[in-house]
Short mmCIF file of all heavy atoms in Angstrom, two decimals:
data_model
loop_
_atom_site.label_atom_id
_atom_site.label_comp_id
_atom_site.label_asym_id
_atom_site.label_seq_id
_atom_site.Cartn_x
_atom_site.Cartn_y
_atom_site.Cartn_z
N GLN A 1 0.90 -1.18 0.08
CA GLN A 1 -0.01 -0.01 -0.01
C GLN A 1 0.99 1.30 -0.01
O GLN A 1 1.91 1.27 0.70
CB GLN A 1 -0.86 -0.02 1.15
CG GLN A 1 -1.92 -1.11 1.18
CD GLN A 1 -2.81 -1.10 0.09
OE1 GLN A 1 -3.28 -0.14 -0.34
NE2 GLN A 1 -2.95 -2.36 -0.72
N PRO A 2 0.60 2.20 -0.91
CA PRO A 2 1.42 3.33 -0.88
C PRO A 2 1.36 4.15 0.40
O PRO A 2 0.32 4.18 1.03
CB PRO A 2 0.86 4.18 -2.03
CG PRO A 2 -0.47 3.62 -2.31
CD PRO A 2 -0.49 2.34 -1.82
N ASP A 3 2.51 4.75 0.81
CA ASP A 3 2.52 5.75 1.89
C ASP A 3 1.61 6.83 1.50
O ASP A 3 1.93 7.50 0.56
CB ASP A 3 3.93 5.90 2.41
CG ASP A 3 4.08 6.93 3.33
OD1 ASP A 3 3.22 7.22 4.11
OD2 ASP A 3 5.20 7.60 3.49
N PRO A 4 0.62 7.21 2.37
CA PRO A 4 -0.08 8.51 2.05
C PRO A 4 0.76 9.72 1.89
O PRO A 4 0.44 10.52 1.00
CB PRO A 4 -1.12 8.53 3.18
CG PRO A 4 -1.18 7.32 3.76
CD PRO A 4 0.26 6.55 3.71
N GLU A 5 1.64 9.99 2.83
CA GLU A 5 2.48 11.12 2.61
C GLU A 5 3.43 11.10 1.35
O GLU A 5 3.43 12.12 0.82
CB GLU A 5 3.45 11.28 3.84
CG GLU A 5 2.76 11.66 5.14
CD GLU A 5 3.67 11.73 6.37
OE1 GLU A 5 4.93 11.93 6.08
OE2 GLU A 5 3.20 11.59 7.52
N GLU A 6 3.86 9.93 1.07
CA GLU A 6 4.66 9.93 -0.17
C GLU A 6 3.77 10.01 -1.45
O GLU A 6 4.17 10.75 -2.36
CB GLU A 6 5.36 8.48 -0.27
CG GLU A 6 6.24 8.23 -1.42
CD GLU A 6 7.12 6.89 -1.31
OE1 GLU A 6 7.45 6.48 -0.30
OE2 GLU A 6 7.23 6.47 -2.48
N ALA A 7 2.61 9.48 -1.37
CA ALA A 7 1.64 9.73 -2.43
C ALA A 7 1.26 11.19 -2.55
O ALA A 7 1.15 11.79 -3.79
CB ALA A 7 0.31 8.89 -2.22
N ALA A 8 1.14 11.91 -1.56
CA ALA A 8 0.72 13.27 -1.51
C ALA A 8 1.92 14.18 -2.08
O ALA A 8 1.77 15.00 -2.87
CB ALA A 8 0.49 13.80 -0.08
N ARG A 9 3.15 13.67 -1.71
CA ARG A 9 4.31 14.51 -2.27
C ARG A 9 4.46 14.18 -3.69
O ARG A 9 4.81 15.15 -4.58
CB ARG A 9 5.62 13.97 -1.53
CG ARG A 9 5.80 14.65 -0.15
CD ARG A 9 7.22 14.27 0.40
NE ARG A 9 7.53 12.95 0.56
CZ ARG A 9 7.22 12.18 1.59
NH1 ARG A 9 6.58 12.66 2.74
NH2 ARG A 9 7.47 10.93 1.71
N ALA A 10 4.16 12.86 -4.14
CA ALA A 10 4.33 12.56 -5.67
C ALA A 10 3.26 13.32 -6.42
O ALA A 10 3.51 13.98 -7.49
CB ALA A 10 4.17 11.14 -5.84
N GLU A 11 2.07 13.51 -5.84
CA GLU A 11 0.95 14.18 -6.55
C GLU A 11 1.31 15.67 -6.63
O GLU A 11 1.12 16.31 -7.66
CB GLU A 11 -0.29 14.07 -5.82
CG GLU A 11 -1.46 14.75 -6.50
CD GLU A 11 -2.86 14.46 -5.84
OE1 GLU A 11 -2.96 13.61 -5.13
OE2 GLU A 11 -3.74 15.20 -6.19
N LEU A 12 1.85 16.32 -5.52
CA LEU A 12 2.29 17.65 -5.57
C LEU A 12 3.31 17.86 -6.60
O LEU A 12 3.30 18.83 -7.44
CB LEU A 12 2.86 18.12 -4.05
CG LEU A 12 3.29 19.51 -3.93
CD1 LEU A 12 2.16 20.56 -4.33
CD2 LEU A 12 3.79 19.76 -2.59
N ALA A 13 4.43 17.04 -6.54
CA ALA A 13 5.44 17.18 -7.68
C ALA A 13 4.89 17.09 -9.05
O ALA A 13 5.34 17.83 -9.89
CB ALA A 13 6.50 16.11 -7.32
N MET A 14 3.84 16.30 -9.22
CA MET A 14 3.43 16.13 -10.59
C MET A 14 2.46 17.43 -10.98
O MET A 14 2.69 17.89 -11.99
CB MET A 14 2.34 14.91 -10.52
CG MET A 14 1.77 14.71 -12.00
SD MET A 14 0.69 13.26 -12.08
CE MET A 14 -0.79 13.88 -11.12
N LYS A 15 1.88 17.88 -9.91
CA LYS A 15 1.19 19.26 -10.27
C LYS A 15 2.14 20.40 -10.49
O LYS A 15 1.85 21.32 -11.35
CB LYS A 15 0.20 19.54 -9.06
CG LYS A 15 -0.95 18.59 -9.07
CD LYS A 15 -1.85 18.99 -7.97
CE LYS A 15 -3.03 17.98 -7.79
NZ LYS A 15 -4.00 18.24 -6.77
N ILE A 16 3.25 20.42 -9.78
CA ILE A 16 4.24 21.45 -9.95
C ILE A 16 4.84 21.31 -11.34
O ILE A 16 5.08 22.29 -11.98
CB ILE A 16 5.13 21.38 -8.79
CG1 ILE A 16 4.66 22.00 -7.46
CG2 ILE A 16 6.49 22.18 -9.22
CD1 ILE A 16 5.58 21.73 -6.31
N SER A 17 5.05 20.13 -11.69
CA SER A 17 5.82 19.79 -13.01
C SER A 17 4.75 20.38 -14.17
O SER A 17 5.24 20.80 -15.15
CB SER A 17 6.03 18.35 -13.17
OG SER A 17 6.60 18.08 -14.41
N GLN A 18 3.42 19.95 -14.00
CA GLN A 18 2.41 20.59 -14.90
C GLN A 18 2.45 21.96 -15.01
O GLN A 18 2.44 22.53 -16.13
CB GLN A 18 1.10 19.98 -14.55
CG GLN A 18 -0.08 20.39 -15.43
CD GLN A 18 0.10 19.79 -16.82
OE1 GLN A 18 0.56 18.61 -16.98
NE2 GLN A 18 -0.29 20.45 -17.85
N ILE A 19 2.55 22.71 -13.92
CA ILE A 19 2.62 24.15 -13.94
C ILE A 19 3.84 24.65 -14.61
O ILE A 19 3.80 25.61 -15.50
CB ILE A 19 2.53 24.80 -12.41
CG1 ILE A 19 1.12 24.55 -11.78
CG2 ILE A 19 2.90 26.29 -12.48
CD1 ILE A 19 1.06 24.80 -10.25
N ASP A 20 4.92 23.96 -14.42
CA ASP A 20 6.24 24.33 -15.05
C ASP A 20 5.96 24.16 -16.64
O ASP A 20 6.49 25.08 -17.29
CB ASP A 20 7.35 23.56 -14.61
CG ASP A 20 7.91 23.82 -13.17
OD1 ASP A 20 7.51 24.95 -12.66
OD2 ASP A 20 8.57 23.11 -12.46
N MET A 21 5.42 23.06 -16.99
CA MET A 21 5.25 22.83 -18.44
C MET A 21 4.34 23.89 -18.98
O MET A 21 4.51 24.42 -20.17
CB MET A 21 4.66 21.42 -18.80
CG MET A 21 5.63 20.38 -18.41
SD MET A 21 5.17 18.57 -18.83
CE MET A 21 3.47 18.68 -18.78
N GLU A 22 3.23 24.33 -18.37
CA GLU A 22 2.33 25.29 -18.85
C GLU A 22 3.00 26.56 -18.91
O GLU A 22 2.75 27.39 -19.83
CB GLU A 22 1.03 25.39 -17.96
CG GLU A 22 0.20 24.20 -18.06
CD GLU A 22 -0.87 24.09 -16.90
OE1 GLU A 22 -0.93 25.09 -15.98
OE2 GLU A 22 -1.63 23.23 -16.83
N THR A 23 3.80 27.03 -17.83
CA THR A 23 4.61 28.21 -17.90
C THR A 23 5.59 28.25 -19.03
O THR A 23 5.68 29.22 -19.73
CB THR A 23 5.36 28.35 -16.50
OG1 THR A 23 4.54 28.30 -15.54
CG2 THR A 23 6.17 29.59 -16.42
N SER A 24 6.32 27.16 -19.28
CA SER A 24 7.25 27.16 -20.37
C SER A 24 6.46 27.27 -21.73
O SER A 24 6.95 28.13 -22.58
CB SER A 24 8.00 25.88 -20.25
OG SER A 24 8.92 25.82 -21.40
#
């Protein structure tokens, strides 16, 4: 089972990456 904190960090990183791509 995924660690909820790790899953939340991964989701945040994915959203930040999406913002970076949109900005670029």
Side-chain angles (χ1 to χ4, degrees):
Q1 294 301 312
D3 174 21
E5 287 182 22
E6 187 176 319
R9 281 191 302 274
E11 184 176 345
L12 178 62
M14 184 179 70
K15 288 178 180 179
I16 287 172
S17 177
Q18 179 66 32
I19 291 169
D20 286 341
M21 289 184 338
E22 290 168 0
T23 300
S24 180

